[in-house]
Amino acid sequence: MTQPIRLRIIVGENDARKLVLPRGLPDSIEELCQTIKTSFGLQQDIRLQYQDADFGNEYLNLSEICEIQDKASLKVIYLQSNATEDYAITQELPQEVQGPAECSIISSGETEPVTSQGSASSTRQWVWPSVFTIPHFKYDAELELEMANTYYKTNATLLKPSPKLKSHILERLAEEIIKFKAYPSDNDLNDVAEALVKTHPCLREQGSFNGCYGWKISLKYKMANLRTKLRGLGCAEVEINSLKNKATDKKSLAALNVKKPKRAEVNYCPQHPKGETDDSLEQERIAMLSEIKKRNNDHIVIEKMEKTFSYRRQEVLQAEPMVADFKSRWPALFNVKEIDREFLRISTLPLLSTFFAELDRYSPRLIEIFSRKGGQAGKKITKIMDAISKDDTIHTRRACVIKSLCTYLNEDSEKLVKAYSDSDFESQRAMEQTVMGVYVILKEGALPDDDPADIGVLIEGVEVLSDLSSIAQACALLFGLIYCLNLSYPSELKCTFEVWQKIFLNLNGQMLSSKAQFLKNKLLE
């Protein structure tokens, strides 16, 4: 029988964790890296170092799996661990210096899930893992399961768990699930149930079509009971869905308006930091209004924005304010860097660096796919892509790919990016009536190839961002603001935004519409 291996995994500074491999070491270093990534929710590519006794237990690069022994210490090295830092540095540079640097910050859509420095302990730091790791149960439960698993391997006899054992298993699984999300989907619960019977095959259900359907249903009820308990304790994430917090007299409609993550938001409605209340955080917000008027005061504003994150999120979700009102209350949010930080707090993913890197990574294949498109859509794409032959800069290429992607998905790119004249009164009126989109202001008499006078973002007719460096940056920030303000995707562009979310940023990338899935299949051919 294979002996289990216990490893000490150093995943970051002051962050060491225990990993138990019940079936011993995998056959290769690559499999071990994948196991570590899935066990701890790491999404970034990694390599490993081990302690070598010949060199005073200094850490050396792991080159052979046989160099690992039981109770060994391994250090995780992130291959793109400086991606976010590099992006922050490029943002400090003049725009003319930044240009091409954006396209090579990271080379993969997978990035280390991190939170901004100083994040409240109540915020989650990890996305839902691609492979759910079953937690350890209490000693007597582990002993009973170990004996039952051994008996199952020899006699193929399944265990009928006692009510006490089953209740304990469900409670431990619910405790582990809540670390990632309070409202797991059916697919999430199915992942957990499958992982349970895979780890403990004695728990398979003989009468179930997949051997674990009953466990999935039990987990569904257990999570509902846990949410009821948390709601009574004042947990903001579930209390927001109690009827007393529904701002309507029609309780039947209110009950249907469930506020929960729908786009892989990790920190959808976080708790306030320890010791903070609505009143104290409102005072922080008021103090921040004066702080943003001072020079060289960014570090204080960033600290206050971090501290008031939970207060701001609960305001967005509960009050659903108009964008103009919200901008007047939180003006510090509406700039490039802070939107990137807010998106990082919500999704644990850096927005701009990931969006640019994935757009650049997929661009060659997308251009090849676009070239094969026929019909009226193909003619429109050809016209859009002609701009690259005249000006093959990184900004032009990105803009052309984004617009062509809209057209390829049978959506109107002018609904996303609209050009206006700086001297046309009708253009001003049209901008004020725009629900959501990117605007490009052209100088009077300017040629189509000339640089625009301004690029910005419109939401509810409000100019929320201006003086942006490129159309691609404006599109990425518009996407980020949808998360920050908890807005719905515009119906006429929902497929384009879905591709950005699920293919470019890999947020809930397992559940795609037929259009998005068809495009993803082509990208991977």
Side-chain angles (χ1 to χ4, degrees):
M1 181 177 176
T2 304
Q3 293 295 323
I5 296 292
R6 294 155 293 179
L7 300 175
R8 174 174 173 264
I9 310 296
I10 302 173
V11 297
E13 187 176 2
N14 299 322
D15 188 1
R17 309 182 191 185
K18 182 178 180 180
L19 176 66
V20 179
L21 303 174
R23 297 171 181 79
L25 287 172
D27 296 331
S28 66
I29 296 175
E30 290 74 18
E31 291 182 33
L32 178 59
C33 287
Q34 186 61 36
T35 301
I36 292 173
K37 287 170 63 178
T38 55
S39 297
F40 300 133
L42 308 181
Q43 293 193 339
Q44 189 173 338
D45 290 335
I46 63 173
R47 61 182 175 86
L48 300 174
Q49 291 185 339
Y50 75 105
Q51 286 182 309
D52 194 306
D54 295 336
F55 295 92
N57 285 330
E58 292 289 333
Y59 282 98
L60 302 179
N61 292 338
L62 180 64
S63 58
E64 296 182 9
I65 197 72
C66 61
E67 292 169 335
I68 302 176
Q69 305 296 326
D70 186 29
K71 297 185 179 180
S73 292
L74 300 179
K75 181 187 288 187
V76 172
I77 306 297
Y78 299 98
L79 297 185
Q80 294 105 12
S81 59
N82 59 346
T84 307
E85 297 172 7
D86 288 348
Y87 173 69
I89 292 172
T90 61
Q91 291 299 297
E92 300 296 334
L93 298 175
Q95 290 184 2
E96 60 271 15
V97 179
Q98 293 184 32
E102 295 175 328
C103 66
S104 59
I105 294 171
I106 54 175
S107 60
S108 169
E110 297 185 341
T111 56
E112 179 188 2
V114 294
T115 54
S116 302
Q117 202 170 22
S119 292
S121 58
S122 60
T123 57
R124 297 186 176 97
Q125 299 185 17
W126 308 106
V127 298
W128 184 267
S130 56
V131 178
F132 191 88
T133 302
I134 300 300
H136 286 287
F137 305 115
K138 60 183 182 180
Y139 180 78
D140 58 333
E142 284 285 350
L143 181 62
E144 183 176 353
L145 290 173
E146 182 180 352
M147 295 177 65
N149 286 328
T150 303
Y151 195 66
Y152 171 77
K153 290 179 181 178
T154 56
N155 298 308
T157 302
L158 296 171
L159 173 67
K160 184 179 180 181
S162 64
K164 182 179 179 181
L165 176 61
K166 184 173 183 178
S167 176
H168 172 68
I169 291 173
L170 293 173
E171 285 180 5
R172 282 291 292 119
L173 291 176
E175 290 173 3
E176 197 69 16
I177 292 171
I178 203 69
K179 294 178 183 178
F180 299 100
K181 54 178 68 175
Y183 293 92
S185 65
D186 274 1
N187 285 334
D188 296 331
L189 295 175
N190 194 63
D191 289 344
V192 177
E194 288 181 350
L196 176 65
V197 299
K198 183 177 181 181
T199 305
H200 300 290
C202 65
L203 295 176
R204 289 186 64 85
E205 299 165 321
Q206 194 168 8
S208 173
F209 75 95
N210 62 353
C212 61
Y213 183 75
W215 284 106
K216 171 188 169 181
I217 298 302
S218 297
L219 278 171
K220 189 173 184 177
Y221 284 110
K222 177 60 71 172
M223 289 302 300
N225 293 337
L226 178 58
R227 287 193 294 269
T228 300
K229 180 179 179 181
L230 294 176
R231 188 177 296 116
L233 296 173
C235 176
E237 192 172 15
V238 294
E239 190 181 26
I240 194 174
N241 289 313
S242 62
L243 287 179
K244 67 179 182 180
N245 287 322
K246 304 290 187 177
T248 178
D249 295 331
K250 298 180 179 180
K251 295 298 184 181
S252 60
L253 293 178
L256 296 175
N257 186 25
V258 179
K259 294 181 173 64
K260 61 182 182 180
K262 296 180 180 178
R263 294 191 291 258
E265 298 98 333
V266 177
N267 293 303
Y268 182 71
C269 185
Q271 290 285 105
H272 290 333
K274 187 177 181 180
E276 299 292 345
T277 63
D278 285 352
D279 292 338
S280 65
L281 293 175
E282 173 65 14
Q283 293 303 315
E284 289 285 343
R285 185 194 69 81
I286 294 172
M288 183 166 53
L289 293 178
S290 61
E291 293 292 344
I292 61 177
K293 298 176 183 178
K294 300 176 183 178
R295 291 184 177 181
N296 302 320
N297 208 29
D298 290 348
H299 64 288
I300 295 179
V301 175
I302 292 172
E303 180 181 334
K304 290 186 178 297
M305 286 293 289
E306 185 73 45
K307 189 174 183 179
T308 56
F309 170 56
S310 59
Y311 181 57
R312 189 165 53 254
R313 285 297 295 174
Q314 292 183 30
E315 178 181 333
V316 166
L317 297 174
Q318 293 181 356
E320 299 180 351
M322 299 295 289
V323 171
D325 298 334
F326 192 76
K327 186 178 179 182
S328 65
R329 282 179 54 81
W330 299 96
L333 174 64
F334 293 87
N335 66 74
V336 175
K337 295 180 184 178
E338 194 54 49
I339 292 171
D340 202 39
R341 296 189 191 100
E342 190 83 347
F343 188 84
L344 181 66
R345 298 179 190 113
I346 295 170
S347 68
T348 73
L349 193 70
L351 171 62
L352 293 176
S353 58
T354 309
F355 186 89
F356 289 143
E358 290 302 283
L359 176 60
D360 293 339
R361 184 164 76 96
Y362 285 121
S363 285
R365 179 60 182 153
L366 283 171
I367 293 173
E368 184 180 345
I369 293 171
F370 296 157
S371 66
R372 299 174 183 171
K373 184 70 172 179
Q376 290 298 319
K379 293 178 181 178
K380 292 179 181 178
I381 290 174
T382 301
K383 187 176 180 180
I384 293 171
M385 298 300 289
D386 281 344
I388 296 179
S389 61
K390 302 173 184 177
D391 178 21
D392 193 13
T393 62
I394 187 69
H395 294 316
T396 301
R397 179 177 290 269
R398 287 172 176 170
C400 290
V401 170
I402 288 173
K403 293 177 184 178
S404 298
L405 177 62
C406 286
T407 306
Y408 182 83
L409 296 170
N410 294 324
E411 296 178 339
D412 188 355
S413 62
E414 291 192 358
K415 296 286 186 179
L416 175 65
V417 182
K418 182 69 174 178
Y420 301 95
S421 172
D422 62 350
S423 60
D424 188 355
F425 177 73
E426 290 298 324
S427 293
Q428 183 66 31
R429 289 185 57 187
M431 290 176 66
E432 293 174 354
Q433 295 173 2
T434 300
V435 177
M436 185 182 297
V438 172
Y439 71 83
V440 178
I441 302 295
L442 302 176
K443 299 174 184 177
E444 184 179 6
L447 297 174
D449 299 334
D450 292 344
D451 292 334
D454 187 19
I455 299 174
V457 174
L458 294 167
I459 298 179
E460 295 178 1
V462 178
E463 185 181 296
V464 293
L465 293 171
S466 59
D467 297 324
L468 300 178
S469 62
S470 66
I471 291 174
Q473 185 188 48
C475 290
L477 292 171
L478 172 60
F479 180 84
L481 282 167
I482 289 175
Y483 272 70
C484 296
L485 304 177
N486 194 43
L487 303 174
S488 299
Y489 293 152
S491 58
E492 62 271 19
L493 295 169
K494 62 180 182 180
C495 288
T496 299
F497 280 91
E498 181 190 6
V499 169
W500 294 356
Q501 174 198 325
K502 298 183 178 182
I503 297 180
F504 286 7
L505 298 177
N506 196 27
L507 293 171
N508 199 22
Q510 298 79 24
M511 302 291 293
L512 284 82
S513 66
S514 57
K515 274 188 182 181
Q517 186 65 62
F518 183 74
L519 176 61
K520 186 174 182 179
N521 292 341
K522 281 187 166 294
L523 287 172
L524 298 177
E525 286 179 357

